Amino acid sequence: MPRVAIVTGSARGIGKKIALRLAADGYSVCINDIPSAKDDITAVVDEINAMSSQNETSSSRPRAIGVVADVTSSSSVEAMVRETVEKLGPLTLMVANAGIAQIKRLLDVTEADIDQVFTVNFKGVFNCYTHAARQMIAQGDPQAAAGVGVYKIVGASSIAGFKSLAALGIYSASKWAVRGLTQAMAMEMAPHKITVNAYAPGIVGTPMWDKIDEELGGIEGRAQGETRKVYSSNAALGRTSEPEDVAGLVGGFLATQDSDFVTGQTMVVDGGIFFT
Ligand code: NAD
């Protein structure tokens, strides 16, 4: 029986690499993103389905579907979960990856800025956690329903969820909030055989960091490309992270049975910038 995952915000960046890693490891995957990313969703779905046709004889043949949905809408997330289960089978993993960055000094932040960041980064994760959990509970015992020891819910925090970054204050607060939600959800879901964890990347080479580099560099007076280098220079392992580094933690550990006894944790994967 294939394991089934939803990865939000997976048309590009970290989410895309997590989805590709899960598919390579035998998961069927729902690729989700917002309407403007429709073509990129289709490209990721096609890439995964091309992998499956090469492995046609494999019993763990991956399959992918694309679902356009904004995670800030509870009803859209609920519909995405329903469609995924109808087309791919019982849901065994939710990766609430979608998030946005905002670069502003706190005295310039408006109420609308707070709403924008918290609606995507916190409420979006809340919608994904809770609708996935309702579905998993309705499926019943994970071994009987889907052949896995536990169901898994995973969310995107950040090293900024442990040590806030200047000019990323509201973003940092939203990532602390994900860490808090993850702990409470882990306690409430444990009786249902659902684990809940989060990942905390450092400085990852994605379009999100292109934006941070440009806007934070503008505020702090650095040339394009310099801010990423400055922030990455604190990493003990001496380089900027790749999305694959994060996919290794999520796909290679948090999505596997090796993490069945881990819950409530936010795991840092940053090459040694912040030590928990
Ligand atoms: P990214 O901007 O490259 O990709 C994020 C994806 O999420 C995009 O495809 C975007 O369209 C999608 N998205 C945004 N809002 C959405 C919504 N409302 N509904 C559905 N999809 C939505 O970002 P990334 O660097 O790949 O980051 C992925 C996650 O990892 C984010 O939560 C981010 O905060 C977190 N993170 C990233 C870094 C980093 O250095 N890049 C570091 C720490 C944490």
Side-chain angles (χ1 to χ4, degrees), residues 243-268:
E244 287 83 351
D245 297 319
V246 184
L249 171 65
V250 177
F253 181 60
L254 293 174
T256 75
Q257 66 178 16
D258 288 346
S259 64
D260 280 2
F261 199 57
V262 177
T263 198
Q265 303 301 317
T266 296
M267 307 190 88
V268 174

Side-chain angles (χ1 to χ4, degrees), residues 14 157-163 165 168 171 175 199-206 208-209 212 228 231-232 234-235 239-243 245-246 249 267-274:
I14 292 170
S157 181
S158 166
I159 52 167
F162 288 90
K163 183 176 188 302
L165 296 170
L168 281 148
Y171 174 83
K175 295 299 183 179
Y199 51 98
I203 314 300
V204 191
T206 68
M208 177 178 283
W209 245 93
I212 296 173
R228 186 186 313 225
Y231 279 71
S232 299
N234 293 329
R239 64 166 171 83
T240 303
S241 302
E242 300 294 340
D245 297 319
V246 184
L249 171 65
M267 307 190 88
V268 174
V269 50
D270 69 350
I273 298 174
F274 181 82

Side-chain angles (χ1 to χ4, degrees), residues 64-162:
I65 60 165
V67 175
V68 172
D70 186 328
V71 297
T72 65
S73 158
S74 177
S75 59
S76 299
V77 174
E78 186 178 18
M80 171 170 66
V81 169
R82 198 180 321 118
E83 183 177 343
T84 301
V85 172
E86 277 166 15
K87 293 185 175 165
L88 299 179
L91 183 68
T92 59
L93 169 68
M94 166 63 82
V95 183
N97 167 76
I100 56 170
Q102 183 184 78
I103 295 86
K104 265 199 177 184
R105 297 224 186 266
L106 288 169
L107 297 187
D108 297 325
V109 166
T110 64
E111 286 184 60
D113 290 331
I114 297 170
D115 288 346
Q116 187 193 22
V117 172
F118 268 79
T119 304
V120 179
N121 291 5
F122 178 73
K123 188 179 149 197
V125 170
F126 174 84
N127 287 339
C128 293
Y129 277 19
T130 50
H131 284 300
R134 286 193 187 92
Q135 172 61 34
M136 289 164 174
I137 292 167
Q139 287 168 188
D141 182 77
Q143 192 66 55
V148 295
V150 295
Y151 297 119
K152 292 166 186 285
I153 295 176
V154 178
S157 181
S158 166
I159 52 167
F162 288 90

